[in-house]
Structures are given as structure tokens and as C-alpha cells.
Amino acid sequence: MRHILRPLEKVGNVELFYDLIFAYLVSVVTSLLHTHEGFFDLQSYGLYVFSFLTVLQIWFNTTFLMNRYGDGSHEDNICMFVNMFCLYFLGEAISGPWGMNLPLFCIAWALLLVNLIVHWYLKLTRYVNTDDEDRRIILSAMRMLGFQLALVIVSLLVPRQPAPVVADLTLVMGVIGWWLARKDSAKPVNFDHLAERCCLLVIITFGESVVDISAYMRALSLSHLLVSALVFALVVGCFHS
């Protein structure tokens, strides 16, 4: 049975919970730069950039879908929860030694892409009030995600040495695909929904910072108090920038 699409005007509880998972992934990715010496090498930084952009791209793909076509249906909720479940395994792969966990990373990434393709397909077949432009947007998104999925599968099949190169190419192709799609779309986004989603994500992410800086809040001496004030001012400044 086909339904009438009534996109959500406000961010739902499932989307808010999804942003909590995303904030967890950000903390996992950030931990790649934490070392005992306080410095990181170029390889660690490259791994950080790749992991962060991959996670961000997944968040963007899901947010774009929900912004235009999310209606809070059971299908939306199931696909979102499957997405969140796979993100935990992506985080597990990121947090371990990279060479040993690249296959787990790619498997989790592939499952996330499959889930997104299914989610987009449901939007194509479920509703009666989508027009030709909607169909073009949905089919374009499915083709782009399908191409990324094919590259991720290739990265799992090739030997260990070229596998990271194929994974990097998968990320780059996703960025290029969405950049080209945004120039060609005549359908505006739901700005109110997107602004609320971004504001909630900023608040959730800075919640991690608020917890972390508590270790600096000491009044043992004047120097400790000054450090506490500077750290607090830095976080407040970042929040308002």
C-alpha cells in the first residue's frame, strides 16, 4: 500500500538519538590524535581525516534523506536504528589498530551503504505524491551510494596494500557525487528542520567538551584557577563562534 508523504517539520526523537551516536563517533575519531607524548604523526593525522570525513559523509547522507523525505514512519525508524547499530562497529574498527581493523571498517561501511540504499528505495516506492524531480533525486542518490558500495566491496577483495587506496577513492567519489548533485537539484531543503538538527548536534557535541574540561576545574592555587578560567573561556568561545 502506497502512502502520502508528509515530511517532518521538526527533528524527531530518533534523529536526536542518532546524533548522540554521531557524537560518540566524533569522540572515537578524535581519540586517534591522542598520544602519550602529546603529538601525532602524519599517518595518524591522515587516518583521522579519512575517518572523520567518512563518518561525516554517512551523517550527511542520512540527514539529507530525512530532511527531504523523512516522515517518522516505521520504515524510517527501522532504517535509522540499523544505521546506528552499524555505526558502533565502524567506531570499533576506528579505535583499534588500523591495519587489523580495515576489513571490519569496510564491512561496517558497506552495511551502512546498503542500509541507505534500501532507505532511499523505500522512499521511491512507498509514496504516491513524489514528482519526477523527487524520483530523479532519489535515483541519483541510490546510484551514487551503489557506486560507493561497489568500491568498498572491491577494497575488501583486493590485497592488503591497495585496499586503503580504494577506500580513499570511495570517500572521494562520495564527496564528488554529492557536490555535483547539489548543483543540479531544484528541490529546496527544509531549512528549519536542517537548522534545528545542526543546532542540536552542536549542543550534543559540546556536551562532550563540557564533561572533559571538568578535569581542569581546580582551585588548588592561583595558577590552577587561571588555567581553569582559560579552558572554560576557550570552550565558550568555540561554542559561540
Side-chain angles (χ1 to χ4, degrees):
M1 179 179 178
R2 303 190 71 180
H3 302 266
I4 296 175
L5 175 63
R6 295 186 177 89
L8 294 171
E9 295 296 328
K10 292 184 175 294
V11 176
N13 289 335
V14 177
E15 291 177 275
L16 180 60
F17 190 72
Y18 183 86
D19 287 342
L20 287 171
I21 306 296
F22 179 76
Y24 158 71
L25 263 294
V26 170
S27 66
V28 170
V29 172
T30 305
S31 68
L32 294 172
L33 300 182
H34 294 171
T35 62
H36 296 294
E37 296 82 12
F39 297 95
F40 51 85
D41 55 26
L42 187 60
Q43 183 179 1
S44 298
Y45 185 73
L47 176 58
Y48 162 79
V49 171
F50 171 79
S51 302
F52 180 77
L53 290 179
T54 302
V55 172
L56 184 63
Q57 191 175 103
I58 293 167
W59 180 88
F60 174 79
N61 290 339
T62 307
T63 300
F64 178 77
L65 188 157
M66 292 299 295
N67 179 267
R68 275 191 168 150
Y69 304 107
D71 63 346
S73 62
H74 293 306
E75 289 82 0
D76 275 349
N77 293 340
I78 291 172
C79 287
M80 290 284 285
F81 281 122
V82 171
N83 194 312
M84 297 179 216
F85 184 73
C86 294
L87 282 174
Y88 271 111
F89 291 94
L90 197 72
E92 176 66 20
I94 293 171
S95 62
W98 179 247
M100 188 168 56
N101 286 283
L102 179 58
L104 176 60
F105 183 94
C106 290
I107 290 171
W109 195 2
L111 292 175
L112 283 161
L113 291 170
V114 169
N115 178 68
L116 282 166
I117 292 171
V118 171
H119 202 171
W120 278 106
Y121 179 75
L122 291 174
K123 298 303 176 183
L124 184 67
T125 60
R126 176 177 168 82
Y127 303 105
V128 297
N129 59 327
T130 52
D131 56 23
D132 291 340
E133 179 67 12
D134 289 320
R135 291 178 61 85
R136 189 190 64 78
I137 292 172
I138 293 171
L139 289 172
S140 177
M142 290 176 63
R143 283 193 294 267
M144 185 271 294
L145 293 168
F147 184 61
Q148 281 193 288
L149 176 62
L151 287 175
V152 173
I153 292 174
V154 169
S155 71
L156 286 168
L157 298 178
V158 298
R160 186 170 179 175
Q161 284 298 104
V165 177
V166 179
D168 291 339
L169 181 62
T170 304
L171 176 63
V172 171
M173 289 297 103
V175 173
I176 293 174
W178 280 111
W179 184 78
L180 293 175
R182 72 169 182 82
K183 295 178 63 178
D184 192 37
S185 177
K187 286 276 186 176
V189 299
N190 184 344
F191 183 78
D192 292 338
H193 175 274
L194 186 61
E196 183 182 1
R197 185 79 185 271
C198 290
C199 287
L200 289 171
L201 181 61
V202 169
I203 292 172
I204 292 171
T205 304
F206 269 91
E208 295 279 336
S209 300
V210 170
V211 174
D212 289 340
I213 67 172
S214 62
Y216 294 93
M217 299 304 160
R218 300 172 181 172
L220 302 178
S221 64
L222 180 60
S223 61
H224 283 98
L225 190 59
L226 288 175
V227 170
S228 301
L230 288 172
V231 170
F232 180 73
L234 177 62
V235 173
V236 171
C238 290
F239 182 78
H240 284 283
S241 61

